[in-house]
Amino acid sequence: MKRAVKKEVLTIKPYVPGKPIDEVKRELGLRDVIKLASNENPYGPSPKVLRAVAREARRLNRYPDGDCFYLRSALAKRLGVGGGQLVFGNGSDELIVLAVKALVRKGDEVVIAKPSFLIYDIAARVAGARVRAVPLRDFRYDLDAMAKAVGKKTKIVFLGNPDNPSGKYLTDREVRRFLGKVRRDVLVFIDEAYFEYVQADDYVDSVSLIPSHANVMVTRTFSKMYGLAGLRVGYGIASREFAGILNRIREPFNVNSVAQAAAVAALQDRAYYRDIARKIKGQRQYLYRSLEQLNLDFVDSATNFILVKIPGRASGIVQKLLKKGVIVRGMGFWGMPDYLRVTIGTAQESKRFIQSLKETL
Ligand SMILES: *Cc1c(COP(=O)(O)O)cnc(C)c1O
């Protein structure tokens, strides 16, 4: 069978996700395991969301609403965009794949940063694209170099804002300047999976750029701050025309009914999530202070995760932490063998991470 598989597919290294808690328990015989490896919300969905999930579960014999009517209406209102400008996905990952499907032919090019979120690279390669990866400078996007990397065959530029694993965001000025340099038939895909965590006055309001830039698409997700990673629901905001195209090529029931109900309920529960964002911010300060006390360098982050530098020893430390029941992510796969990435958890989890780290160092 392998001989029949497309050549470009065979070159792809499989995505390695953060280890699931149960897997670590099974494999290492541990009882108490915490996961700080996939940037999830440690508190879980709100009680209101859980009630919506239970209600919707009674109707699981029915197909979901393929148009996500209630979720679409709620989000359109919240964002001040037309319902026709929205497209929903089985996680925002699916929107990355859909955009590539719509635009990229074999031999076309896609521009990304390096390191950056791995799905951009994987989705582009599956489609047979040549990926031009522009190195970060001091963990930030080098947008001038990325604009220069855009060539005749470039179809998409992916901007993670903030990006993973760097945790850095792009400013309004930077994004506008970049858009001014890029051809209007190149999709500028702005991935805002961590949008809800950013608190910075100069963070770009990407959605407001869409009316004047039909080549901008913005994605967000319910997986990160909203704590619904297990349900898989994300959304894209684009021009009505491009959203319509993506809606044409997606699978008709790509967002399940429970996910839709949970997302609607989550949007209504603003106080619950505001509180979580505040707690995460508090824990970020605690982790910064604790890392400083351990004399470790880290990358200042706008998100709910932090890159920690442990020269020469990061991957060994990741393994040792695992044995202590603390799952974090080694960054070797991203080409940063000296770093690990830790997700900001609850106060208790942060403490346990720091304590375990201290013991392993
Ligand atoms: C987690 C993440 C996503 C997507 O998550 P979904 O669960 O598919 O919505 C997208 N982009 C970045 C940068 C992420 O870290």
Side-chain angles (χ1 to χ4, degrees):
M1 199 56 222
K2 193 169 168 188
R3 269 172 47 206
V5 174
K6 295 188 282 183
K7 207 168 66 233
E8 53 271 27
V9 171
L10 291 175
T11 66
I12 294 164
K13 282 194 248 168
Y15 180 78
V16 184
K19 271 188 183 292
I21 289 175
D22 283 347
E23 186 179 315
V24 174
K25 285 184 178 170
R26 264 193 327 267
E27 289 179 355
L28 298 177
L30 295 170
R31 287 170 79 181
D32 184 15
V33 173
I34 61 170
K35 184 180 176 200
L36 304 172
S38 298
N39 307 337
E40 295 145 336
N41 169 344
Y43 300 98
S46 72
K48 205 174 193 170
V49 169
L50 292 177
R51 282 196 296 276
V53 166
R55 246 191 332 268
E56 194 57 42
R58 292 188 213 118
R59 301 198 293 175
L60 281 173
N61 54 320
R62 303 295 173 194
Y63 277 99
D65 171 2
D67 284 327
C68 302
F69 176 82
Y70 293 108
L71 181 54
R72 184 181 303 273
S73 318
L75 265 177
K77 194 163 161 224
R78 174 71 56 88
L79 300 168
V81 300
Q85 291 184 259
L86 296 172
V87 50
F88 294 91
N90 183 41
S92 56
D93 278 358
E94 191 189 13
L95 300 162
I96 296 169
V97 173
L98 285 175
V100 169
K101 242 187 206 169
L103 296 171
V104 178
R105 292 182 193 81
K106 193 169 161 39
D108 283 341
E109 291 183 355
V110 165
V111 174
I112 64 173
K114 182 182 179 173
S116 178
F117 187 52
L118 291 171
I119 307 296
Y120 311 149
D121 181 80
I122 294 174
R125 281 173 196 275
V126 172
R130 212 181 123 216
V131 176
R132 303 195 62 173
V134 178
L136 299 181
R137 278 174 67 170
D138 201 16
F139 293 97
R140 303 198 75 250
Y141 273 51
D142 185 348
L143 285 181
D144 287 340
M146 287 179 80
K148 283 199 189 104
V150 172
K152 270 205 218 84
K153 292 190 160 179
T154 303
K155 290 287 156 50
I156 308 179
V157 181
F158 282 104
L159 305 181
N161 192 24
D163 205 359
N164 169 12
S166 69
K168 297 288 186 198
Y169 70 93
L170 296 166
T171 66
D172 180 68
R173 241 184 81 201
E174 289 171 318
V175 172
R176 284 176 191 277
R177 190 178 136 98
F178 180 73
L179 288 173
K181 290 185 184 177
V182 172
R183 283 196 332 266
R184 290 299 181 111
D185 59 347
V186 173
L187 178 70
V188 177
F189 187 113
I190 306 181
D191 175 351
E192 297 187 338
Y194 301 94
F195 166 81
E196 292 85 358
Y197 284 114
V198 183
Q199 292 176 315
D201 292 338
D202 56 354
Y203 184 44
V204 62
D205 177 2
S206 309
V207 175
S208 75
L209 297 170
I210 296 172
S212 54
H213 297 81
N215 60 328
V216 169
M217 165 168 181
V218 182
T219 57
R220 293 183 190 157
T221 182
F222 286 92
S223 297
K224 301 288 156 66
M225 192 192 71
Y226 284 108
L228 298 177
L231 280 177
R232 315 302 302 126
V233 51
Y235 58 96
I237 312 141
S239 68
R240 177 177 285 276
E241 187 185 32
F242 193 59
I245 284 164
L246 297 185
N247 271 315
R248 224 183 292 170
I249 62 176
R250 67 176 172 81
E251 286 178 28
F253 303 112
N254 62 334
V255 181
N256 72 74
S257 51
V258 179
Q260 291 183 37
V264 170
L267 282 176
Q268 293 165 350
D269 230 350
R270 289 180 111 157
Y272 177 84
Y273 291 99
R274 208 176 297 131
D275 185 50
I276 286 177
R278 195 179 48 76
K279 284 181 179 144
I280 295 293
K281 194 176 158 199
Q283 287 309 304
R284 190 164 60 206
Q285 292 310 317
Y286 164 76
L287 287 171
Y288 286 173
R289 276 199 316 274
S290 307
L291 292 167
E292 274 162 10
Q293 280 162 11
L294 292 173
N295 274 319
L296 291 173
D297 277 338
F298 55 86
V299 180
D300 211 23
S301 169
T303 65
N304 67 330
F305 56 85
I306 304 170
L307 284 175
V308 182
K309 189 174 189 183
I310 311 177
R313 300 167 63 199
S315 80
I317 299 271
V318 169
Q319 290 311 313
K320 282 186 189 152
L321 288 173
L322 197 59
K323 294 207 175 87
K324 291 177 178 286
V326 177
I327 316 173
V328 299
R329 202 78 160 264
M331 290 285 109
F333 202 79
W334 275 263
M336 298 192 295
D338 285 343
Y339 288 84
L340 63 79
R341 190 192 68 198
V342 60
T343 301
I344 302 168
T346 62
Q348 209 182 1
E349 289 171 338
S350 300
K351 235 184 228 147
R352 179 157 160 203
F353 164 71
I354 290 295
Q355 187 55 37
S356 306
L357 185 60
K358 212 182 267 177
E359 289 163 15
T360 52
L361 280 169

